mmCIF file of all heavy atoms in Angstrom:
data_model
loop_
_atom_site.group_PDB
_atom_site.id
_atom_site.type_symbol
_atom_site.label_atom_id
_atom_site.label_comp_id
_atom_site.label_asym_id
_atom_site.label_seq_id
_atom_site.Cartn_x
_atom_site.Cartn_y
_atom_site.Cartn_z
ATOM 1 N N PHE A 1 14.266 9.426 117.593
ATOM 2 C CA PHE A 1 13.976 9.117 116.191
ATOM 3 C C PHE A 1 13.434 10.305 115.440
ATOM 4 O O PHE A 1 13.830 10.538 114.305
ATOM 5 C CB PHE A 1 13.017 7.919 116.115
ATOM 6 C CG PHE A 1 13.626 6.589 116.073
ATOM 7 C CD1 PHE A 1 14.463 6.180 117.069
ATOM 8 C CD2 PHE A 1 13.394 5.730 115.015
ATOM 9 C CE1 PHE A 1 15.053 4.916 117.049
ATOM 10 C CE2 PHE A 1 13.950 4.435 114.980
ATOM 11 C CZ PHE A 1 14.778 4.035 116.021
ATOM 12 N N ASP A 2 12.579 11.050 116.063
ATOM 13 C CA ASP A 2 12.025 12.253 115.431
ATOM 14 C C ASP A 2 13.152 13.245 115.107
ATOM 15 O O ASP A 2 13.180 13.811 114.041
ATOM 16 C CB ASP A 2 10.954 12.869 116.368
ATOM 17 C CG ASP A 2 10.286 14.070 115.729
ATOM 18 O OD1 ASP A 2 9.771 13.945 114.625
ATOM 19 O OD2 ASP A 2 10.216 15.127 116.406
ATOM 20 N N ALA A 3 14.015 13.495 116.091
ATOM 21 C CA ALA A 3 15.130 14.445 115.862
ATOM 22 C C ALA A 3 16.044 13.956 114.805
ATOM 23 O O ALA A 3 16.516 14.746 113.923
ATOM 24 C CB ALA A 3 15.914 14.641 117.183
ATOM 25 N N ALA A 4 16.313 12.629 114.744
ATOM 26 C CA ALA A 4 17.190 12.077 113.669
ATOM 27 C C ALA A 4 16.522 12.233 112.331
ATOM 28 O O ALA A 4 17.186 12.648 111.342
ATOM 29 C CB ALA A 4 17.469 10.604 113.985
ATOM 30 N N TYR A 5 15.276 11.908 112.237
ATOM 31 C CA TYR A 5 14.546 11.977 110.946
ATOM 32 C C TYR A 5 14.519 13.433 110.454
ATOM 33 O O TYR A 5 14.847 13.675 109.296
ATOM 34 C CB TYR A 5 13.128 11.399 111.126
ATOM 35 C CG TYR A 5 12.446 11.127 109.845
ATOM 36 C CD1 TYR A 5 12.634 9.912 109.206
ATOM 37 C CD2 TYR A 5 11.612 12.049 109.250
ATOM 38 C CE1 TYR A 5 12.021 9.622 107.994
ATOM 39 C CE2 TYR A 5 10.965 11.752 108.021
ATOM 40 C CZ TYR A 5 11.173 10.532 107.399
ATOM 41 O OH TYR A 5 10.577 10.315 106.225
ATOM 42 N N GLN A 6 14.139 14.324 111.332
ATOM 43 C CA GLN A 6 14.074 15.726 110.885
ATOM 44 C C GLN A 6 15.464 16.305 110.609
ATOM 45 O O GLN A 6 15.632 17.125 109.685
ATOM 46 C CB GLN A 6 13.368 16.572 111.980
ATOM 47 C CG GLN A 6 11.877 16.285 112.047
ATOM 48 C CD GLN A 6 11.186 17.175 113.049
ATOM 49 O OE1 GLN A 6 11.501 18.360 113.122
ATOM 50 N NE2 GLN A 6 10.215 16.629 113.739
ATOM 51 N N GLY A 7 16.474 15.896 111.422
ATOM 52 C CA GLY A 7 17.797 16.362 111.186
ATOM 53 C C GLY A 7 18.358 15.929 109.850
ATOM 54 O O GLY A 7 18.965 16.719 109.143
ATOM 55 N N LEU A 8 18.164 14.648 109.543
ATOM 56 C CA LEU A 8 18.652 14.168 108.236
ATOM 57 C C LEU A 8 17.905 14.835 107.082
ATOM 58 O O LEU A 8 18.515 15.148 106.045
ATOM 59 C CB LEU A 8 18.520 12.644 108.163
ATOM 60 C CG LEU A 8 19.455 11.886 109.093
ATOM 61 C CD1 LEU A 8 19.066 10.412 109.129
ATOM 62 C CD2 LEU A 8 20.892 12.069 108.677
ATOM 63 N N ASP A 9 16.616 15.088 107.252
ATOM 64 C CA ASP A 9 15.865 15.773 106.245
ATOM 65 C C ASP A 9 16.399 17.207 106.044
ATOM 66 O O ASP A 9 16.561 17.641 104.910
ATOM 67 C CB ASP A 9 14.390 15.813 106.612
ATOM 68 C CG ASP A 9 13.517 16.355 105.479
ATOM 69 O OD1 ASP A 9 13.710 15.934 104.327
ATOM 70 O OD2 ASP A 9 12.657 17.183 105.769
ATOM 71 N N SER A 10 16.753 17.836 107.134
ATOM 72 C CA SER A 10 17.303 19.233 107.033
ATOM 73 C C SER A 10 18.639 19.247 106.336
ATOM 74 O O SER A 10 18.960 20.204 105.660
ATOM 75 C CB SER A 10 17.335 19.906 108.422
ATOM 76 O OG SER A 10 18.303 19.330 109.242
ATOM 77 N N ILE A 11 19.434 18.190 106.512
ATOM 78 C CA ILE A 11 20.728 18.138 105.851
ATOM 79 C C ILE A 11 20.496 17.988 104.357
ATOM 80 O O ILE A 11 21.187 18.644 103.531
ATOM 81 C CB ILE A 11 21.545 16.931 106.367
ATOM 82 C CG1 ILE A 11 21.977 17.213 107.835
ATOM 83 C CG2 ILE A 11 22.811 16.684 105.514
ATOM 84 C CD1 ILE A 11 22.576 16.037 108.556
ATOM 85 N N HIS A 12 19.554 17.183 103.929
ATOM 86 C CA HIS A 12 19.215 17.058 102.503
ATOM 87 C C HIS A 12 18.719 18.386 101.926
ATOM 88 O O HIS A 12 19.111 18.753 100.806
ATOM 89 C CB HIS A 12 18.215 15.936 102.254
ATOM 90 C CG HIS A 12 18.772 14.587 102.377
ATOM 91 N ND1 HIS A 12 19.529 13.991 101.408
ATOM 92 C CD2 HIS A 12 18.668 13.678 103.382
ATOM 93 C CE1 HIS A 12 19.878 12.796 101.796
ATOM 94 N NE2 HIS A 12 19.360 12.565 102.982
ATOM 95 N N LYS A 13 17.940 19.067 102.673
ATOM 96 C CA LYS A 13 17.446 20.371 102.253
ATOM 97 C C LYS A 13 18.553 21.414 102.143
ATOM 98 O O LYS A 13 18.600 22.211 101.230
ATOM 99 C CB LYS A 13 16.324 20.867 103.168
ATOM 100 C CG LYS A 13 15.038 20.115 103.016
ATOM 101 C CD LYS A 13 13.975 20.546 103.957
ATOM 102 C CE LYS A 13 12.713 19.742 103.740
ATOM 103 N NZ LYS A 13 11.690 20.010 104.727
ATOM 104 N N ALA A 14 19.532 21.348 103.083
ATOM 105 C CA ALA A 14 20.668 22.209 103.055
ATOM 106 C C ALA A 14 21.505 21.949 101.770
ATOM 107 O O ALA A 14 22.061 22.861 101.151
ATOM 108 C CB ALA A 14 21.519 22.072 104.293
ATOM 109 N N ARG A 15 21.675 20.661 101.467
ATOM 110 C CA ARG A 15 22.426 20.281 100.253
ATOM 111 C C ARG A 15 21.724 20.824 98.996
ATOM 112 O O ARG A 15 22.377 21.384 98.104
ATOM 113 C CB ARG A 15 22.534 18.793 100.160
ATOM 114 C CG ARG A 15 23.337 18.268 98.954
ATOM 115 C CD ARG A 15 23.369 16.779 98.869
ATOM 116 N NE ARG A 15 22.130 16.109 99.095
ATOM 117 C CZ ARG A 15 21.222 15.909 98.126
ATOM 118 N NH1 ARG A 15 21.415 16.359 96.927
ATOM 119 N NH2 ARG A 15 20.097 15.274 98.407
ATOM 120 N N GLU A 16 20.420 20.714 98.978
ATOM 121 C CA GLU A 16 19.688 21.212 97.788
ATOM 122 C C GLU A 16 19.787 22.734 97.706
ATOM 123 O O GLU A 16 19.934 23.304 96.620
ATOM 124 C CB GLU A 16 18.205 20.781 97.932
ATOM 125 C CG GLU A 16 17.983 19.293 97.732
ATOM 126 C CD GLU A 16 16.568 18.862 98.121
ATOM 127 O OE1 GLU A 16 15.741 19.698 98.518
ATOM 128 O OE2 GLU A 16 16.308 17.642 98.016
ATOM 129 N N ALA A 17 19.743 23.406 98.869
ATOM 130 C CA ALA A 17 19.862 24.862 98.866
ATOM 131 C C ALA A 17 21.261 25.306 98.444
ATOM 132 O O ALA A 17 21.413 26.251 97.686
ATOM 133 C CB ALA A 17 19.542 25.421 100.256
ATOM 134 N N ALA A 18 22.263 24.588 98.921
ATOM 135 C CA ALA A 18 23.618 24.971 98.539
ATOM 136 C C ALA A 18 23.872 24.726 97.034
ATOM 137 O O ALA A 18 24.619 25.474 96.415
ATOM 138 C CB ALA A 18 24.619 24.121 99.361
ATOM 139 N N ALA A 19 23.210 23.741 96.461
ATOM 140 C CA ALA A 19 23.352 23.458 95.027
ATOM 141 C C ALA A 19 22.855 24.619 94.162
ATOM 142 O O ALA A 19 23.282 24.727 93.038
ATOM 143 C CB ALA A 19 22.651 22.175 94.675
ATOM 144 N N THR A 20 21.968 25.423 94.700
ATOM 145 C CA THR A 20 21.407 26.514 93.909
ATOM 146 C C THR A 20 22.079 27.831 94.233
ATOM 147 O O THR A 20 21.653 28.858 93.697
ATOM 148 C CB THR A 20 19.898 26.651 94.144
ATOM 149 O OG1 THR A 20 19.645 26.950 95.534
ATOM 150 C CG2 THR A 20 19.161 25.354 93.735
ATOM 151 N N ASN A 21 23.054 27.823 95.129
ATOM 152 C CA ASN A 21 23.742 29.070 95.493
ATOM 153 C C ASN A 21 24.809 29.380 94.466
ATOM 154 O O ASN A 21 25.866 28.689 94.434
ATOM 155 C CB ASN A 21 24.354 28.939 96.874
ATOM 156 C CG ASN A 21 24.936 30.221 97.424
ATOM 157 O OD1 ASN A 21 25.309 31.098 96.652
ATOM 158 N ND2 ASN A 21 25.075 30.301 98.707
ATOM 159 N N PRO A 22 24.659 30.436 93.662
ATOM 160 C CA PRO A 22 25.593 30.724 92.575
ATOM 161 C C PRO A 22 26.939 31.270 93.126
ATOM 162 O O PRO A 22 27.924 31.326 92.347
ATOM 163 C CB PRO A 22 24.903 31.758 91.708
ATOM 164 C CG PRO A 22 23.922 32.413 92.685
ATOM 165 C CD PRO A 22 23.544 31.334 93.659
ATOM 166 N N THR A 23 26.999 31.668 94.393
ATOM 167 C CA THR A 23 28.278 32.216 94.909
ATOM 168 C C THR A 23 29.201 31.122 95.394
ATOM 169 O O THR A 23 30.356 31.392 95.746
ATOM 170 C CB THR A 23 27.964 33.148 96.071
ATOM 171 O OG1 THR A 23 27.372 32.437 97.145
ATOM 172 C CG2 THR A 23 27.053 34.286 95.673
ATOM 173 N N LEU A 24 28.775 29.851 95.389
ATOM 174 C CA LEU A 24 29.606 28.765 95.859
ATOM 175 C C LEU A 24 29.982 27.857 94.721
ATOM 176 O O LEU A 24 29.191 27.526 93.842
ATOM 177 C CB LEU A 24 28.812 27.928 96.878
ATOM 178 C CG LEU A 24 28.433 28.604 98.205
ATOM 179 C CD1 LEU A 24 27.543 27.658 99.023
ATOM 180 C CD2 LEU A 24 29.660 28.992 98.988
ATOM 181 N N ASN A 25 31.233 27.433 94.720
ATOM 182 C CA ASN A 25 31.681 26.405 93.770
ATOM 183 C C ASN A 25 31.448 25.006 94.403
ATOM 184 O O ASN A 25 30.881 24.918 95.550
ATOM 185 C CB ASN A 25 33.139 26.580 93.360
ATOM 186 C CG ASN A 25 34.134 26.483 94.529
ATOM 187 O OD1 ASN A 25 33.767 25.958 95.599
ATOM 188 N ND2 ASN A 25 35.331 27.019 94.369
ATOM 189 N N ASP A 26 31.807 23.966 93.751
ATOM 190 C CA ASP A 26 31.548 22.604 94.270
ATOM 191 C C ASP A 26 32.161 22.412 95.633
ATOM 192 O O ASP A 26 31.514 21.831 96.501
ATOM 193 C CB ASP A 26 32.039 21.538 93.292
ATOM 194 C CG ASP A 26 31.211 21.454 92.030
ATOM 195 O OD1 ASP A 26 30.054 21.975 92.029
ATOM 196 O OD2 ASP A 26 31.684 20.876 91.044
ATOM 197 N N VAL A 27 33.372 22.831 95.815
ATOM 198 C CA VAL A 27 34.060 22.704 97.117
ATOM 199 C C VAL A 27 33.357 23.481 98.184
ATOM 200 O O VAL A 27 33.148 23.028 99.316
ATOM 201 C CB VAL A 27 35.573 23.031 96.949
ATOM 202 C CG1 VAL A 27 36.231 23.022 98.331
ATOM 203 C CG2 VAL A 27 36.246 22.124 95.988
ATOM 204 N N GLY A 28 32.990 24.704 97.835
ATOM 205 C CA GLY A 28 32.297 25.576 98.820
ATOM 206 C C GLY A 28 30.985 24.958 99.241
ATOM 207 O O GLY A 28 30.633 25.008 100.428
ATOM 208 N N ARG A 29 30.228 24.425 98.284
ATOM 209 C CA ARG A 29 28.944 23.800 98.624
ATOM 210 C C ARG A 29 29.177 22.600 99.553
ATOM 211 O O ARG A 29 28.471 22.436 100.539
ATOM 212 C CB ARG A 29 28.228 23.326 97.369
ATOM 213 C CG ARG A 29 27.588 24.444 96.561
ATOM 214 C CD ARG A 29 26.735 23.913 95.446
ATOM 215 N NE ARG A 29 27.496 23.589 94.252
ATOM 216 C CZ ARG A 29 27.862 24.424 93.323
ATOM 217 N NH1 ARG A 29 27.540 25.701 93.443
ATOM 218 N NH2 ARG A 29 28.554 24.065 92.273
ATOM 219 N N LEU A 30 30.174 21.828 99.233
ATOM 220 C CA LEU A 30 30.495 20.652 100.071
ATOM 221 C C LEU A 30 30.871 21.075 101.505
ATOM 222 O O LEU A 30 30.372 20.484 102.468
ATOM 223 C CB LEU A 30 31.643 19.873 99.454
ATOM 224 C CG LEU A 30 32.063 18.612 100.158
ATOM 225 C CD1 LEU A 30 30.950 17.576 100.156
ATOM 226 C CD2 LEU A 30 33.299 18.048 99.534
ATOM 227 N N LEU A 31 31.637 22.104 101.638
ATOM 228 C CA LEU A 31 32.067 22.595 102.955
ATOM 229 C C LEU A 31 30.940 23.158 103.757
ATOM 230 O O LEU A 31 30.791 22.885 104.962
ATOM 231 C CB LEU A 31 33.203 23.613 102.822
ATOM 232 C CG LEU A 31 34.517 23.073 102.327
ATOM 233 C CD1 LEU A 31 35.513 24.220 102.122
ATOM 234 C CD2 LEU A 31 35.108 22.060 103.316
ATOM 235 N N VAL A 32 30.045 23.909 103.135
ATOM 236 C CA VAL A 32 28.882 24.461 103.808
ATOM 237 C C VAL A 32 27.961 23.368 104.351
ATOM 238 O O VAL A 32 27.566 23.392 105.467
ATOM 239 C CB VAL A 32 28.122 25.456 102.870
ATOM 240 C CG1 VAL A 32 26.747 25.827 103.435
ATOM 241 C CG2 VAL A 32 28.967 26.714 102.643
ATOM 242 N N VAL A 33 27.690 22.410 103.465
ATOM 243 C CA VAL A 33 26.784 21.314 103.868
ATOM 244 C C VAL A 33 27.466 20.464 104.944
ATOM 245 O O VAL A 33 26.804 20.014 105.886
ATOM 246 C CB VAL A 33 26.342 20.472 102.646
ATOM 247 C CG1 VAL A 33 25.527 19.289 103.085
ATOM 248 C CG2 VAL A 33 25.582 21.391 101.706
ATOM 249 N N ALA A 34 28.779 20.190 104.825
ATOM 250 C CA ALA A 34 29.473 19.375 105.773
ATOM 251 C C ALA A 34 29.477 20.041 107.143
ATOM 252 O O ALA A 34 29.239 19.340 108.150
ATOM 253 C CB ALA A 34 30.889 19.133 105.300
ATOM 254 N N GLU A 35 29.656 21.321 107.225
ATOM 255 C CA GLU A 35 29.617 22.024 108.509
ATOM 256 C C GLU A 35 28.269 21.940 109.134
ATOM 257 O O GLU A 35 28.091 21.672 110.336
ATOM 258 C CB GLU A 35 30.035 23.468 108.295
ATOM 259 C CG GLU A 35 30.096 24.260 109.581
ATOM 260 C CD GLU A 35 30.530 25.711 109.373
ATOM 261 O OE1 GLU A 35 31.045 26.041 108.282
ATOM 262 O OE2 GLU A 35 30.388 26.502 110.310
ATOM 263 N N PHE A 36 27.240 22.146 108.289
ATOM 264 C CA PHE A 36 25.851 22.057 108.808
ATOM 265 C C PHE A 36 25.545 20.633 109.301
ATOM 266 O O PHE A 36 24.988 20.416 110.371
ATOM 267 C CB PHE A 36 24.878 22.469 107.729
ATOM 268 C CG PHE A 36 23.426 22.344 108.120
ATOM 269 C CD1 PHE A 36 22.867 23.326 108.914
ATOM 270 C CD2 PHE A 36 22.659 21.332 107.657
ATOM 271 C CE1 PHE A 36 21.528 23.243 109.265
ATOM 272 C CE2 PHE A 36 21.320 21.221 108.018
ATOM 273 C CZ PHE A 36 20.778 22.181 108.836
ATOM 274 N N ALA A 37 25.979 19.638 108.481
ATOM 275 C CA ALA A 37 25.707 18.252 108.804
ATOM 276 C C ALA A 37 26.409 17.805 110.073
ATOM 277 O O ALA A 37 25.913 17.024 110.894
ATOM 278 C CB ALA A 37 26.095 17.345 107.645
ATOM 279 N N GLU A 38 27.626 18.323 110.297
ATOM 280 C CA GLU A 38 28.376 17.961 111.489
ATOM 281 C C GLU A 38 27.649 18.416 112.760
ATOM 282 O O GLU A 38 27.552 17.670 113.717
ATOM 283 C CB GLU A 38 29.747 18.581 111.442
ATOM 284 C CG GLU A 38 30.639 18.176 112.588
ATOM 285 C CD GLU A 38 32.027 18.787 112.482
ATOM 286 O OE1 GLU A 38 32.292 19.693 111.668
ATOM 287 O OE2 GLU A 38 32.929 18.302 113.248
ATOM 288 N N LYS A 39 27.110 19.615 112.699
ATOM 289 C CA LYS A 39 26.351 20.109 113.848
ATOM 290 C C LYS A 39 25.098 19.257 114.126
ATOM 291 O O LYS A 39 24.766 18.909 115.252
ATOM 292 C CB LYS A 39 25.926 21.596 113.657
ATOM 293 C CG LYS A 39 27.121 22.518 113.667
ATOM 294 C CD LYS A 39 26.710 23.916 113.378
ATOM 295 C CE LYS A 39 27.929 24.815 113.243
ATOM 296 N NZ LYS A 39 27.556 26.173 112.821
ATOM 297 N N LYS A 40 24.397 18.931 113.018
ATOM 298 C CA LYS A 40 23.205 18.089 113.156
ATOM 299 C C LYS A 40 23.564 16.738 113.678
ATOM 300 O O LYS A 40 22.837 16.145 114.524
ATOM 301 C CB LYS A 40 22.451 17.982 111.827
ATOM 302 C CG LYS A 40 21.749 19.228 111.418
ATOM 303 C CD LYS A 40 20.559 19.468 112.302
ATOM 304 C CE LYS A 40 19.839 20.711 111.932
ATOM 305 N NZ LYS A 40 18.748 20.995 112.836
ATOM 306 N N GLN A 41 24.639 16.156 113.136
ATOM 307 C CA GLN A 41 25.021 14.810 113.556
ATOM 308 C C GLN A 41 25.328 14.740 115.030
ATOM 309 O O GLN A 41 24.924 13.838 115.745
ATOM 310 C CB GLN A 41 26.246 14.344 112.771
ATOM 311 C CG GLN A 41 26.751 12.965 113.216
ATOM 312 C CD GLN A 41 28.046 12.566 112.493
ATOM 313 O OE1 GLN A 41 28.678 13.349 111.833
ATOM 314 N NE2 GLN A 41 28.416 11.318 112.701
ATOM 315 N N LEU A 42 26.007 15.768 115.578
ATOM 316 C CA LEU A 42 26.326 15.815 116.983
ATOM 317 C C LEU A 42 25.057 15.820 117.807
ATOM 318 O O LEU A 42 24.925 15.064 118.815
ATOM 319 C CB LEU A 42 27.177 17.031 117.312
ATOM 320 C CG LEU A 42 27.695 17.170 118.710
ATOM 321 C CD1 LEU A 42 28.524 15.971 119.143
ATOM 322 C CD2 LEU A 42 28.507 18.431 118.862
ATOM 323 N N SER A 43 24.105 16.627 117.441
ATOM 324 C CA SER A 43 22.832 16.710 118.119
ATOM 325 C C SER A 43 22.059 15.402 118.069
ATOM 326 O O SER A 43 21.513 14.903 119.039
ATOM 327 C CB SER A 43 21.979 17.851 117.558
ATOM 328 O OG SER A 43 20.721 17.855 118.102
ATOM 329 N N ILE A 44 22.050 14.807 116.888
ATOM 330 C CA ILE A 44 21.316 13.499 116.673
ATOM 331 C C ILE A 44 21.946 12.427 117.521
ATOM 332 O O ILE A 44 21.225 11.671 118.200
ATOM 333 C CB ILE A 44 21.308 13.164 115.178
ATOM 334 C CG1 ILE A 44 20.416 14.116 114.389
ATOM 335 C CG2 ILE A 44 20.887 11.707 115.002
ATOM 336 C CD1 ILE A 44 20.568 14.020 112.888
ATOM 337 N N THR A 45 23.255 12.275 117.465
ATOM 338 C CA THR A 45 23.892 11.195 118.220
ATOM 339 C C THR A 45 23.769 11.347 119.706
ATOM 340 O O THR A 45 23.607 10.386 120.447
ATOM 341 C CB THR A 45 25.391 11.045 117.806
ATOM 342 O OG1 THR A 45 26.061 12.296 117.959
ATOM 343 C CG2 THR A 45 25.531 10.560 116.374
ATOM 344 N N ARG A 46 23.796 12.614 120.173
ATOM 345 C CA ARG A 46 23.590 12.850 121.617
ATOM 346 C C ARG A 46 22.168 12.392 122.036
ATOM 347 O O ARG A 46 21.986 11.808 123.058
ATOM 348 C CB ARG A 46 23.774 14.288 121.942
ATOM 349 C CG ARG A 46 25.210 14.693 122.068
ATOM 350 C CD ARG A 46 25.342 16.161 122.451
ATOM 351 N NE ARG A 46 26.755 16.507 122.535
ATOM 352 C CZ ARG A 46 27.175 17.740 122.491
ATOM 353 N NH1 ARG A 46 26.336 18.746 122.414
ATOM 354 N NH2 ARG A 46 28.478 18.003 122.551
ATOM 355 N N GLY A 47 21.174 12.750 121.173
ATOM 356 C CA GLY A 47 19.843 12.321 121.449
ATOM 357 C C GLY A 47 19.653 10.820 121.475
ATOM 358 O O GLY A 47 18.942 10.261 122.348
#
């Protein structure tokens, strides 16, 4: 539960950080966050 809670929080923080990155367009932000979230999801579900 701790890993899931912290992992989901880190995904939200990654989304917020990507939103402020001027080098990324909407699609780029989505892809960066999706890649990060996929790694977190795998770790969370294994736990």
Side-chain angles (χ1 to χ4, degrees):
F1 269 58
D2 184 52
Y5 195 85
Q6 289 185 38
L8 291 171
D9 188 46
S10 70
I11 293 169
H12 284 285
K13 288 177 180 174
R15 181 182 47 83
E16 292 168 0
T20 63
N21 186 336
T23 64
L24 297 173
N25 61 19
D26 288 342
V27 174
R29 284 189 278 276
L30 181 64
L31 291 174
V32 166
V33 174
E35 183 178 346
F36 179 78
E38 184 177 14
K39 291 176 186 174
K40 287 291 180 182
Q41 178 185 8
L42 184 59
S43 174
I44 291 167
T45 54
R46 282 183 181 161

